[in-house]
Amino acid sequence: MGFLSVLSCAHHWISSRLQPGELAIDATVGTGADTLFLAQQVGKRGQVIGFDIQSEALTLAQARIRKHSEGNKLGSISLLELSHARMAEAVPDAWVGKVGAIMFNLGYLPAEGADTSIITETMSTIAALEAALTLLRPRGIITIVLYPGHDGGAQEAGAVSRWASTLPVEQAQVVIYRQMQRETSPYLIGIEKK
């Protein structure tokens, strides 16, 4: 058996921490794979909020969720056409300090015919990560999949890596999962709040 992909690894890390009935956030909905995964993890009593700036992404996510909802015990899902940078104002106050997991899958919408020039931006991503830390419960987790191989991706990945490496150890534990031989390979950062 080989190593897990960065996406599978992110799911593995979250599934070992996120409990049924908890709150979760998908900061970058995309095609909805992580949104669906989070809704499955939290189960019927849990809740998930997803953010994306593209209506096309939310449409794709809704279709994916509908396809897998029959017979599945999914948590309630709210999809917002909103930048993840506005996470702090969009998430209910009651969620502060209580969210079990927040997923970021940066880059562009990986759908056929999608405009790949629309990408996550460094400033909005860092703002969202700052908000995410305040929303997490103790031992809650943030996963960030970074893609340095596309235009603008290396700059964002570098900035996010620098930001994560400066978090005080008293606040969070930060780990990285990466293939070392290829600089442009996607990689994963995990942040567990203390």
Side-chain angles (χ1 to χ4, degrees):
M1 183 173 122
F3 289 114
L4 294 173
S5 71
V6 290
L7 297 172
S8 295
C9 186
H11 286 193
H12 178 72
W13 287 353
I14 286 175
S15 65
S16 68
R17 288 168 178 82
L18 190 61
Q19 301 299 311
E22 283 204 286
L23 308 170
I25 296 171
D26 185 351
T28 51
V29 168
T31 62
D34 292 337
T35 312
L36 177 63
F37 165 74
L38 291 169
Q40 290 167 331
Q41 294 300 302
V42 299
K44 284 181 84 161
R45 293 180 297 114
Q47 297 177 59
V48 177
I49 296 177
F51 293 87
D52 208 292
I53 60 168
Q54 296 181 77
S55 60
E56 178 186 356
L58 299 181
T59 300
L60 290 168
Q62 287 166 341
R64 180 186 295 260
I65 292 161
R66 266 194 310 277
K67 183 177 173 184
H68 292 90
S69 63
E70 184 113 0
N72 249 326
K73 294 182 168 103
L74 300 180
S76 75
I77 302 168
S78 301
L79 297 177
L80 306 177
E81 190 174 340
L82 199 63
S83 169
H84 55 207
R86 297 183 57 196
M87 186 184 300
E89 66 189 76
V91 171
D93 290 342
W95 284 40
V96 176
K98 297 194 174 126
V99 176
I102 303 172
M103 299 188 78
F104 288 78
N105 192 346
L106 303 177
Y108 53 82
L109 179 62
E112 189 176 323
D115 183 351
T116 58
S117 70
I118 301 171
I119 61 171
T120 52
E121 302 284 342
T122 302
M123 296 299 286
S124 62
T125 297
I126 298 293
L129 287 165
E130 293 279 357
L133 270 178
T134 65
L135 293 169
L136 275 189
R137 63 163 167 76
R139 297 203 24 87
I141 185 172
I142 298 170
T143 60
I144 313 154
V145 178
L146 299 133
Y147 297 88
H150 67 83
D151 285 344
Q155 294 84 350
E156 182 179 43
V160 168
S161 295
R162 285 188 297 279
W163 173 84
S165 70
T166 63
L167 291 175
V169 292
E170 302 80 32
Q171 183 181 17
Q173 176 180 346
V174 180
V175 295
I176 189 167
Y177 180 76
R178 183 175 199 169
Q179 182 181 352
M180 300 302 292
Q181 300 99 320
R182 292 192 184 128
E183 277 188 37
T184 58
S185 290
Y187 65 99
L188 171 64
I189 294 176
I191 302 171
E192 183 180 58
K193 188 173 183 176
K194 291 201 172 170

